Amino acid sequence: MSTDLIQDLNARFAIADQVSFAVGSGGFPVVSVRNAHADASIALQGADVTGFQPHGQEPVLFLSRQAVYARGKAIRGGIPICWPWFGPHPTDPTKPDHGFARTRPWSVLDTRAMPDGATRVRLGLTDDAETRALWPHAFALQLVVIVGAALEVTLVARNTGYEPFVCSGALHSYFRVGDVTAITIQGLEGIAYVDKVDGGHAKVQQGPVTIAGETDRVYTDTTAACAIVDPTVGRRVTVAKEGSRSTVVWNPWRDKARRLADFGDDEYTEMVCVEVANAGDDTVTVAPGGEHRLGTTIGVAALAS
Ligand code: TA6
């Protein structure tokens, strides 16, 4: 990737002492944000928010030390964007899991210093011949990232065509935890879920979620915020949402971790995914000229001692 692109991005979108662009891992452009509240980083490859760290706090997002940075490849960590389908393609197994938005280079739309000291970065992706070969629809995606004391990430999917389209997806957030076996996830108590580790059986969550083995669950019909309570780090990470009626919880545990080439064998103890989703039956139909917003707000607070 040419340094010309970086120079051009900085000339057009850098904000002194707040937003800058540089060559990141794999040679892909990365946006670095530093403001009064926090540090953050966003890879233009897949518009993946790869880092968020409020000042005085430990990093909030998990990024695998074995992540692979390559064209057409999703980054293992941060917040990959699953769109326009979640999981395997509904009818064609030859198409990539979780759609194509997470594997394509996004462009920068604008950057802005907000009055409250936060920073907004907007990224865009539109259809082209490659995307239409995978999914025959015209669209304009925007990812609106606001870095403040909390992190706000909103995927806005606009239908720029003449036919309605049906999509699903997720903000596939990877959270960094001190010890995955010690955390609890609140907000899903009594909620029905599909257990993908147990043959897709339908179950109901009893109490807070704990992780003691491979976990891959789609919680259905829930608009509730979640909280990851992490006694090892001494913090509570809240995950609020917009435009979502399903929440996915994932940890690959030992065996799957070993099968993932871009994930360390023992890294499963350091992370959990809590994903704001449109998954399972929670698909979205977008009319021509219409849009759907899928958003998450991630907050951090110390646990009361
Ligand atoms: O969100 C959970 C999930 O759908 C799991 O089934 C697991 O496959 C995970 O995503 C990671 O998928 P990936 O395609 O990134 O390896």
Side-chain angles (χ1 to χ4, degrees), residues 128-254:
D128 59 26
E130 282 182 34
T131 66
R132 288 190 295 273
L134 289 168
W135 194 63
H137 299 286
F139 64 84
L141 287 183
Q142 259 188 64
L143 193 77
V144 183
V145 179
I146 300 179
V147 179
L151 176 69
E152 288 178 47
V153 177
T154 310
L155 179 69
V156 184
R158 170 167 284 282
N159 181 345
T160 57
Y162 301 99
E163 301 290 326
F165 63 56
V166 177
C167 59
S168 59
L171 302 174
H172 196 301
S173 307
Y174 287 73
F175 293 96
R176 189 169 165 281
V177 297
D179 172 359
V180 75
T181 65
I183 67 163
T184 54
I185 303 169
Q186 301 172 336
L188 297 167
E189 296 84 349
I191 302 293
Y193 66 94
V194 174
D195 188 342
K196 294 167 87 172
V197 174
D198 185 13
H201 284 119
K203 300 180 180 176
V204 176
Q205 181 60 40
Q206 308 300 327
V209 179
T210 55
I211 310 287
E214 183 180 355
T215 303
D216 193 354
R217 302 173 181 177
V218 178
Y219 289 85
T220 56
D221 209 14
T222 173
T223 57
C226 290
I228 303 165
V229 178
D230 185 342
T232 312
V233 177
R235 70 180 176 192
R236 176 190 175 82
V237 176
T238 52
V239 184
K241 60 181 191 171
E242 171 196 4
S244 161
R245 298 194 62 77
S246 44
T247 297
V248 178
V249 175
W250 181 59
N251 182 283
W253 208 247
R254 188 175 295 110

Side-chain angles (χ1 to χ4, degrees), residues 33 47 55 62 87 113 122 125 145 183 195 220 227 235 264 271 294 297:
V33 174
H55 298 318
F62 166 86
R122 288 194 315 140
L125 182 74
V145 179
I183 67 163
D195 188 342
T220 56
R235 70 180 176 192
M271 55 71 64
L294 177 65
T297 300

Side-chain angles (χ1 to χ4, degrees), residues 76 86 97-98 102 172 174 196 216 248 250 256 275:
R76 181 65 68 191
F86 179 82
D97 282 358
H98 293 320
R102 65 178 183 161
H172 196 301
Y174 287 73
K196 294 167 87 172
D216 193 354
V248 178
W250 181 59
K256 180 143 188 182
E275 309 163 31

